[in-house]
Amino acid sequence: MKTVIQVYPRNDFKVYVYFDDGKIKLYDVAPLLGKGVFQKISTINEFIEKCTVLNGTLAWDLGGNFDPFKCIDIDPESLYEKGQEVSDPLKKSVA
């Protein structure tokens, strides 16, 4: 099973998701917003500020206390399969 070790949200409802095997995927959350539990994320600020890693995957900490039961999360296998593989956006290129 894949494990998420770091996330880096963007201001367009996409998230860079770092996995324990070294792969980085860019996952678009926009299609989920406004549906089901994702209705609880209504602004880009909430999306970015509450974005974290909980339960070994991409999550949004709704309660503000990192409670693994009071969050919205996405199955890490789904993130891995559906995310677009990308290079690390945090690494500076050396010229």
Side-chain angles (χ1 to χ4, degrees):
M1 181 172 201
K2 306 296 182 198
T3 301
V4 174
I5 58 171
Q6 180 180 344
V7 294
Y8 180 62
R10 298 183 356 171
N11 63 3
D12 60 356
F13 295 105
K14 292 181 182 177
V15 181
Y16 291 103
V17 183
Y18 295 71
F19 288 90
D20 60 346
D21 67 356
K23 298 231 176 164
I24 302 165
K25 304 282 185 148
L26 181 61
Y27 188 81
D28 187 1
V29 183
L32 302 174
L33 298 175
K35 300 175 185 171
V37 295
F38 285 92
Q39 291 177 11
K40 296 178 181 183
I41 303 171
S42 59
T43 68
I44 191 66
N45 286 340
E46 286 178 314
F47 176 82
I48 292 171
E49 291 172 9
K50 295 179 183 217
C51 185
T52 190
V53 176
L54 285 170
N55 304 321
T57 193
L58 168 63
W60 288 267
D61 178 24
L62 300 178
N65 57 1
F66 295 98
D67 183 337
F69 299 104
K70 294 186 180 176
C71 69
I72 298 171
D73 61 12
I74 300 175
D75 176 58
E77 294 294 327
S78 180
L79 295 169
Y80 199 86
E81 291 173 14
K82 296 179 181 174
Q84 173 189 355
E85 191 167 342
V86 295
S87 59
D88 191 344
L90 300 177
K91 277 190 177 177
K92 296 185 182 198
S93 61
V94 179

